[in-house]
Amino acid sequence: MKTDKNDRILLAHGGGGQLSDELIRHHILPRFDNNTLAELTDSANLELDSKSICFTTDSYVVKPLFFNGGDIGKLAVCGTINDLAVAGSKPVALSLSLIIEEGFEFKLLDKILDSISQTARDNNVNIVTGDTKTVEAGAADKIFINTAGIGVKLDGIDLGFKKIKAGDKILINGTIGDHGMTIMSQRKDIKFQSQLKSDCAGLADLITKLLEGSNGVKFMRDPTRGGLAVTLNDIARQAGLSIEINQADIPINPNVQTAADMLGFDVLDIANEGKVVAILSAESADQCLNICRKHPLGKEAKIIGEIVKPKNVPIVEMTTIIGGKRIVHIPYGRQLPRIC
Amino acid sequence: MLDRINKAQNMIETACKKLGKQINIMEVCGTHTVSIFRNGIRTILPDNLKLLSGPGCPVCVTDQSYIDNVLQIADNKDCLIATYGDMIRVPGKGGSLETKQTTANVKIVLSSEDALQLAKDNPDKTVVFIAVGFETTTPATAVAIKEAHADSVDNFCVLSGHKLVVPAMKALVSTKNDHIDAFLCPGHVSVIIGYNSYKEIVEDYGRPCVVAGFEPIQIIEGLAEICRQLADGKTKLESVYSAVVTAEGNTIAQKIIEECFEPADGYWRGLGEIEKSTLKIKDKYSKFDALKRFDITETPVEDTSGCQCGEVLCGLIDPPQCKLFGKTCTINTPIGPCMVSSEGACAAWYKYSLKEKP
């Protein structure tokens, strides 16, 4: 019983019987061809070069499933890779778990699996283990993906909040807000038409080059949900130091700015999926900036501010384009478009 | 742009020095409030120039009774609530649209057109459009009502919370309070109503009115024009947003409003009842009036939470002077609408202000 391309996922595809086997052998395995996965053992057996590893997991429920610049599959691979990379490790293996709603079209599933396979290849990681579950129609929204990942710690790299000192510089590898504004503009309930493109990308290569080319990197984080605002506030709070950024130095695509202004959003609060914020020693800032700018994912890299001693409690303060000052606050959890 | 900013800033400083006393300018638009805070404009102004955030945020000025009516309608399982995003967190009786309902029967829309489409897509539900806003959003609501009428979309109705800006400004300066020296008038609203609408405030109440856009430079230039007038002892009507605001405004939009709505006395949070300041749906379109469909009366409710949003909206206190600000009322646990709305003075103060943060 071979599934036709126009077929849809049935509950039985998650039942552990013949249909499950079909799903795995015809749709999943051919796309993630590697020896570890091919063994189909209960757990993946991995030989790693280091005793020290990073391990992370993330779930992906993005709507729409396909957006300009990416899709849920690409996001599921890049998101986990980026979490490993910013911790100073080289991503080597991912797990892939799919929760699929009954009735989901195979042609869409295949498109997502192709994207996962391509993104994993582009970023030199293998999908080494996985799981598929199906749920009744209405119990999930089309497809949810979880990926977990293992990264091997890069030699001699030790990153952490504790290393951050007043005077350190803050780098970002390009424009902010592209992913979040793209998703918002394409959502069914916000029919905002625009030419925006998500920045969804795997940052492992850029980050490895940065860490290998300079010893001045002290801490890194990918500013995903909550955007630059949450990431900078987390850094300030955890390091016990304040942050001063300069609005004029923050790269923003003018289309993203316009879309955010129209909806009443602050671009600093908007999610990114291909950005890294790096805290650098002042001496290494130029060197790191040069390394970033030579990489396709860091051409628009900028130093956007610095770490300073807190006056009272740690805060994030921004000098605005007109020379005014304001606080950068952690946004409320949900972006609500304004009335007028 | 920096040249223009410096020039305007110098003008403000010279005028404020000459005046030598505290000057209070009220911005009557939530979008101005947000832009002022987000761009740190207050931090570059002289100490004796104070900006007051007026009743220009549609969510903030909406009376508690309206919110309670919305929540009451939302309890009806056959209803779909179509609302602008800002409204869903405003607390009312027993919760808010966010906590009381699920996304199943509360849909965030960006326009009245989206709300009408929702009605067309869900013929088995009554779609109630939570129509708040000033003259900027009213024409679009009117268009939706007219379209619903023409296409017989009988499962669509509107709970009108629309308000008029000028009656509220008059109410503020006609009270005994003389704490407002001038108004920075809203850009978007003025596009519709035209700057001549503020003539009465200038001529009868002696307050300079200057219309400005929302870019930081436009706001600063608007403030500079006001300061110059005050220092020269003049009271004039000006627009520094002349690219889009005309004296008469958008007469087509005005006609559409007039066709569907008529001014009525109505309640504002903090300002109480103001004569002919709200818009009710005309009898011709009464079948699209949610008040009539659900047989609801608008009775003002007393707010017992201790929230001082009313005084904030009148410019009588700054948000940090409210007993609840930053203590029980925060961005994450808002009590009053000025903290809920992204355009509210309390939210802007809480999020962006460097000073007076508890």
Side-chain angles (χ1 to χ4, degrees):
Chain A
M1 190 170 51
K2 204 168 171 186
T3 47
D4 185 89
K5 282 214 158 163
N6 295 320
D7 275 356
R8 289 166 183 273
I9 286 282
L10 307 174
L11 270 182
H13 281 109
Q18 273 191 35
L19 281 189
S20 293
D21 196 54
E22 287 272 331
L23 171 63
I24 294 165
R25 289 192 190 279
H26 290 285
H27 294 270
I28 297 177
L29 284 186
R31 291 180 165 86
F32 307 113
D33 190 20
N34 64 70
N35 294 338
T36 316
L37 183 65
E39 287 174 22
L40 290 183
T41 44
D42 285 336
S43 293
N45 292 303
L46 301 171
E47 302 265 335
L48 302 174
D49 317 334
S50 165
K51 274 189 187 165
S52 183
I53 62 160
C54 289
F55 177 45
T56 187
T57 183
D58 211 339
S59 297
Y60 301 85
V61 297
V62 66
K63 271 194 298 182
L65 296 177
F66 300 91
F67 47 85
N68 197 11
D71 57 77
I72 190 170
K74 184 179 179 187
L75 197 62
V77 176
C78 292
T80 297
I81 284 177
N82 293 348
D83 283 347
L84 292 171
V86 293
S89 75
K90 179 182 180 298
V92 288
L94 298 187
S95 72
L96 172 69
S97 288
L98 308 171
I99 296 172
I100 316 171
E101 185 188 12
E102 175 188 14
F104 188 58
E105 291 172 63
F106 261 107
K107 67 173 185 198
L108 296 180
L109 178 65
D110 286 347
K111 210 171 152 188
I112 292 166
L113 291 170
D114 281 338
S115 172
I116 293 173
S117 158
Q118 185 64 46
T119 313
R121 260 200 309 275
D122 291 347
N123 287 279
N124 298 315
V125 290
N126 280 329
I127 308 288
V128 293
T129 186
D131 181 47
T132 54
K133 291 280 186 299
T134 54
V135 295
E136 298 86 351
D141 193 354
K142 297 187 177 80
I143 185 168
F144 296 153
I145 300 179
N146 172 277
T147 53
I150 289 175
V152 176
K153 266 278 172 90
L154 293 171
D155 272 347
I157 301 298
D158 182 21
L159 306 171
F161 291 116
K162 276 186 274 177
K163 304 203 133 199
I164 302 173
K165 299 266 179 309
D168 288 349
K169 302 287 179 191
I170 303 161
L171 174 145
I172 189 145
N173 63 315
T175 56
I176 61 162
D178 299 77
H179 177 74
M181 283 319 301
T182 304
I183 296 298
M184 247 170 297
S185 73
Q186 284 184 230
R187 274 204 182 139
K188 243 196 333 191
D189 51 354
I190 300 181
K191 294 173 190 157
F192 183 86
Q193 298 300 319
S194 62
Q195 293 300 312
L196 307 173
K197 190 178 174 190
S198 165
D199 59 342
C200 179
L203 296 165
D205 187 57
L206 169 73
I207 288 172
T208 306
K209 289 201 165 68
L210 195 58
L211 290 172
E212 285 173 356
S214 169
N215 56 12
V217 182
K218 299 190 169 190
F219 181 79
M220 284 185 289
R221 179 158 285 178
D222 48 340
T224 53
R225 276 178 304 181
L228 194 57
V230 162
T231 296
L232 293 180
N233 272 287
D234 273 352
I235 294 172
R237 197 166 42 193
Q238 298 280 353
L241 293 162
S242 285
I243 288 178
E244 283 180 7
I245 54 171
N246 195 2
Q247 189 176 24
D249 292 329
I250 302 172
I252 299 173
N253 174 333
N255 290 334
V256 168
Q257 184 67 62
T258 306
D261 285 347
M262 281 184 74
L263 295 172
F265 297 155
D266 191 338
V267 185
L268 294 174
D269 300 347
I270 311 284
N272 309 278
E273 288 294 344
K275 291 295 161 328
V276 55
V277 171
I279 310 297
L280 316 165
S281 66
E283 313 83 72
S284 71
D286 285 345
Q287 181 190 33
C288 291
L289 199 56
N290 286 334
I291 295 169
C292 273
R293 285 181 177 167
K294 280 184 194 142
H295 194 278
L297 295 176
K299 281 180 186 159
E300 293 177 79
K302 284 276 236 179
I303 301 293
I304 58 168
E306 66 175 7
I307 307 288
V308 295
K309 280 192 185 139
K311 286 173 196 139
N312 186 6
V313 286
I315 55 163
V316 181
E317 189 178 308
M318 180 164 83
T319 302
T320 65
I321 288 169
I322 59 153
K325 300 232 183 222
R326 65 119 149 150
I327 293 272
V328 176
H329 195 267
I330 298 177
Y332 176 70
R334 184 176 170 190
Q335 296 282 344
L336 298 170
R338 63 170 191 193
I339 290 172
C340 60
Chain B
M1 192 182 74
L2 281 174
D3 283 353
R4 273 172 70 191
I5 290 171
N6 287 338
K7 198 178 152 198
Q9 226 181 322
N10 286 340
M11 210 159 127
I12 292 172
E13 265 162 34
T14 314
C16 285
K17 212 172 198 177
K18 186 175 169 191
L19 284 156
K21 56 169 187 173
Q22 183 166 315
I23 304 301
N24 297 323
I25 301 176
M26 177 174 273
E27 85 264 1
V28 200
C29 176
T31 313
H32 273 156
T33 302
V34 172
S35 187
I36 286 165
F37 277 96
R38 222 180 242 177
N39 291 291
I41 290 177
R42 283 169 180 249
T43 64
I44 62 164
L45 298 177
D47 288 344
N48 65 329
L49 173 53
K50 187 170 180 189
L51 297 183
L52 308 172
S53 303
C57 148
V59 175
C60 307
V61 296
T62 299
D63 191 69
Q64 196 62 47
S65 59
Y66 182 90
I67 311 289
D68 291 346
N69 287 340
V70 171
L71 292 171
Q72 193 191 320
I73 296 171
D75 281 338
N76 188 329
K77 293 283 168 263
D78 295 327
C79 283
L80 262 184
I81 302 287
T83 176
Y84 293 123
D86 274 14
M87 289 294 284
I88 73 158
R89 297 185 65 214
V90 185
K93 247 183 221 154
S96 67
L97 285 175
E98 187 182 44
T99 59
K100 212 172 166 216
Q101 308 299 325
T102 66
T103 47
N105 69 339
V106 177
K107 300 283 179 199
I108 292 178
V109 292
L110 278 186
S111 68
S112 56
E113 196 193 335
D114 289 351
L116 185 60
Q117 190 57 46
L118 206 58
K120 289 176 183 169
D121 295 343
N122 296 276
D124 55 328
K125 299 268 185 188
T126 299
V127 171
V128 186
F129 178 49
I130 306 308
V132 296
F134 298 102
E135 290 90 333
T136 11
T137 51
T138 318
T141 306
V143 169
I145 291 174
K146 282 180 68 176
E147 202 183 316
H149 179 70
D151 297 351
S152 302
V153 190
D154 293 343
N155 64 324
F156 176 74
C157 65
V158 170
L159 187 66
S160 174
H162 284 303
K163 291 188 165 49
L164 302 167
V165 166
V166 176
M169 290 168 70
K170 280 203 279 190
L172 278 170
V173 284
S174 56
T175 56
K176 281 178 190 163
N177 299 316
D178 56 356
H179 63 293
I180 302 164
D181 296 309
F183 288 105
L184 185 74
C185 298
H188 293 154
V189 164
S190 305
V191 171
I192 306 291
I193 66 174
Y195 60 76
N196 274 350
S197 305
Y198 308 107
K199 238 178 180 167
E200 220 181 318
I201 312 262
V202 177
E203 289 170 3
D204 299 354
Y205 298 93
R207 306 305 206 278
C209 284
V210 175
V211 179
F214 301 101
E215 293 298 325
I217 178 65
Q218 295 168 323
I219 293 174
I220 296 168
E221 285 179 344
L223 294 174
E225 169 58 28
I226 292 173
C227 290
R228 193 182 58 85
Q229 286 190 29
L230 292 171
D232 294 351
K234 290 188 176 142
T235 307
K236 280 164 62 183
L237 179 57
E238 289 280 348
S239 170
V240 295
Y241 201 29
S242 52
V244 285
V245 177
T246 61
E248 284 75 34
N250 183 335
T251 49
I252 298 169
Q254 290 166 17
K255 272 193 195 122
I256 292 170
I257 296 177
E258 269 171 40
E259 202 187 320
C260 293
F261 293 99
E262 58 193 338
D265 301 349
Y267 294 99
W268 293 57
R269 188 184 293 264
L271 286 86
E273 192 176 26
I274 304 175
E275 204 184 329
K276 297 214 179 311
S277 66
T278 59
L279 290 171
K280 71 169 201 177
I281 296 169
K282 280 188 171 169
D283 283 345
K284 184 183 170 189
Y285 296 106
S286 63
K287 76 171 174 178
F288 300 105
D289 190 341
L291 281 181
K292 298 212 167 92
R293 192 171 297 202
F294 296 97
D295 195 21
I296 290 170
T297 44
E298 287 184 301
T299 352
V301 252
E302 203 189 330
D303 183 3
T304 51
S305 68
C307 160
Q308 290 176 273
C309 279
E311 288 154 80
V312 170
L313 290 166
C314 295
L316 294 169
I317 62 166
D318 283 335
Q321 289 171 273
C322 169
K323 318 186 261 303
L324 309 183
F325 182 85
K327 298 180 187 89
T328 49
C329 184
T330 68
I331 290 282
N332 293 332
T333 55
I335 292 173
C338 298
M339 187 64 95
V340 173
S341 170
S342 61
E343 302 211 326
C346 298
W349 206 290
Y350 190 89
K351 278 198 275 190
Y352 304 122
S353 184
L354 297 167
K355 286 184 228 161
E356 292 151 288
K357 210 175 170 71

